[in-house]
Every structure is written in C-alpha cells, then in structure tokens.
Amino acid sequence: MLRTAIGSLELDSPILTASGTFGHDPSALAFLQPGDLGALVLKTVTREPRFGNPPQRLAEFPGGLLNAIGLENKGLEYWRETVAPQLAAVPVPVVANAGGHSTADYVAMTAAFDAMAEVAAIELNLSCPNVEGGTQFSTDVAALELVVQLCRAVTNKPLWVKLSPNVASIVPFAQAAEASGADALTVANTLIGMLVNWRTRRPVLANGTGGMSGPAVRPLVLRLVWETARAVTIPVIASGGASNAEDVLDYVVAGATAVQVGTAVFRRPGVISEIATDLRRLLQEENTSLQELRASLVWPFPLSC
Ligand SMILES: Cc1cc2nc3c(=O)[nH]c(=O)nc-3n(C[C@H](O)[C@H](O)[C@H](O)COP(=O)(O)O)c2cc1C
C-alpha cells in the first residue's frame, strides 16, 4: 500500500530519514517495523574529516530546533572502511549524502559513493547553512549547474540534489538541477535562523546562526515543495517539519513523492513506524492511494501556468 518509486529506486514506503538525524548502524533501525521506512538517508560525509562547529550546537524552541552542527564527520576514508561495510545489513536502500567546499569535492564524493555497492542513491547536500560556503552551490544557478553536471557524469546511480530554502525563489534552482541531470530534488535543507539570550547579549549557538527545522518550517517548506513540483518533472522529496501521517499526506497532495522525517525522530525514535501505521489507516479510511493523492492540490483560483 505504501510502495513508492523515486525514479528508478523502488521503496517499501514514502517515508525516509532526513540526513543528519538518524544513525547508520542496524541498531538505529530497531525502533522501526519492517516495511515502514523507505530508505535510510545518512548524514553528510565530506572528503576530509570535520570537527564541526564549537558547542553550543543545538537549541530547542517551541516550533522546533536550531542546529549548527557544522557537518561534523570522520571523512570519506573512515566512511569507506568503517561505515560502508555495516550498511550491507541495512534492510532498506541506503542513500549517501555528500558535502564539500568545491566542485571537485562533490565530484570526488559522488565518484566514491558510486563505487560502493552498499549505496543505492546519492544525495548532494548543496545547501548546508552552517558551514562557510555551505550554500554557495544552492544560491548561484551557474555554480549549481556545473556541480550537478559534473557529478552526473561520474555516476549512474540515482542522484538527488538537496536545495536551499534560503533563496528568493527556489524554481530556477530546481529547474537548473533537473536540466543538469538530477534524478530527484530534496526540498529543502534548514532555514537560517537565530536565537539570542538577552541576558548575556549573545546568540545561543556558538556559530551565531543555525538551521531551523521542525514543525515551524513546515508551512514554508510545503509552499516550496508545491512550487518545485509544478516546475519540474522529476520527483520531489519533501524535508521540513513532518511529524505525523497528516503532514506526509499534505506534502504528497502538494506534489511530493516521498517525505523525509528528521527533527521528529529526536523526540520519538519510533515515529517513522507510527507515521507508516497511520498512513495505511488513513489511505484505507479514505479509500485512496498515494498515487491518487500526489499533486492533487486544488488551487482556489486559476493559475497562469
Ligand atoms: C541536528 C541536525 C543535523 C542535520 N544534519 C544534516 C546533514 O548532515 N546534511 C543534510 O543534508 N541535512 C542535515 N540536516 C537537515 C535535515 O536533513 C532536514 O533537511 C531538515 O532538518 C528538515 O527536516 P525536519 O524538519 O524533519 O528536521 C540536519 C538537521 C538537523 C536537525
């Protein structure tokens, strides 16, 4: 009932983990029932190890979470030798997520992931707001086109491009990614935000600003998913504040093929199975399907295109 395809990638479910919010070892999946998770999207890996930003790196607010982890990871070599072998035991397709500082970094990461049998698809994180230059490729159409074209040239695996919400219009970036060979678009990374402590007169995060995620961003990302889905023909993967089955179906109606769940997992590690159970029930109660609901949003007045 929940089976979904993102291009050539066949999934048991439209619910995916969001990069950076879920572990990679099979024990992290112990909270989930078989068939509930569509794919495991892993944290961004960069060519060289990164310590990330200094603490404090995470702060909660009533609408969600602000993070400035800064892409902490042990680098590609560690990943290849230590993480990749563990992925063979993961019972769902694994999506590796690539980060970088230059076009060459992204191409090297894509080529490396392409060579790993454990990796079913590659997500390019072109949109991390918490590292210097992290959004240079998702806020400049020409830079995005070049990096996607060059990454496309080194892999036949499904190539997903994760876009930034921190732009005036996402449409030119979405269309450029599609024209450059992306197989799907993840909409979107976190929104740049800030929390301050008025007593200390300082930002709460050591980085000053951070990426907003969780329920507060959902209406904004829903609008971006809708705009993107109308502008491209490749699948759109929603990522922003989904925490229950109704949220997932809202995204599907707006045009999403799949939905990543991130911040909600921190509160309820089993939330993906809860969502899957409710999704099946809702689809049955309404006698409908994901295919029927996808991009079925009825706009209150005629649109020009
Ligand atoms: C603590 C934390 C770490 C994250 N790390 C990454 C990352 O390494 N790479 C990436 O592409 N996105 C990262 N993200 C963004 C999420 O993948 C997701 O796009 C975003 O949080 C919106 O979804 P959510 O509201 O369901 O969390 C991170 C988000 C959080 C909260």
Side-chain angles (χ1 to χ4, degrees), residues 43-44 50 53 67-71 99 106 125-136 138 162-164 166 189-190 192:
K43 183 164 180 60
T44 298
R50 288 182 54 90
N53 292 321
N67 94 82
I69 306 291
L71 301 184
Y106 282 103
N125 177 5
L126 300 185
S127 46
C128 178
N130 303 320
V131 296
E132 205 184 324
T135 54
Q136 59 178 319
S138 53
K162 188 164 180 178
L163 295 174
S164 176
N166 302 302
N189 213 310
T190 49
I192 299 172

Side-chain angles (χ1 to χ4, degrees), residues 6-31:
I6 301 178
S8 59
L9 193 66
E10 302 271 348
L11 310 175
D12 283 346
S13 153
I15 313 163
L16 321 179
T17 57
S19 177
T21 64
F22 211 88
H24 63 260
D25 61 303
S27 67
L29 297 165
F31 292 98

Side-chain angles (χ1 to χ4, degrees), residues 162-218:
K162 188 164 180 178
L163 295 174
S164 176
N166 302 302
V167 289
S169 171
I170 200 166
V171 167
F173 298 95
Q175 289 176 333
E178 178 178 36
S180 303
D183 294 304
L185 302 174
T186 306
V187 177
N189 213 310
T190 49
L191 281 95
I192 299 172
M194 191 167 93
L195 291 167
V196 299
N197 180 336
W198 68 267
R199 289 189 172 81
T200 61
R201 277 78 151 170
R202 287 176 175 275
V204 172
L205 298 184
N207 190 54
T209 60
M212 267 174 72
S213 61
V217 308
R218 196 168 58 83

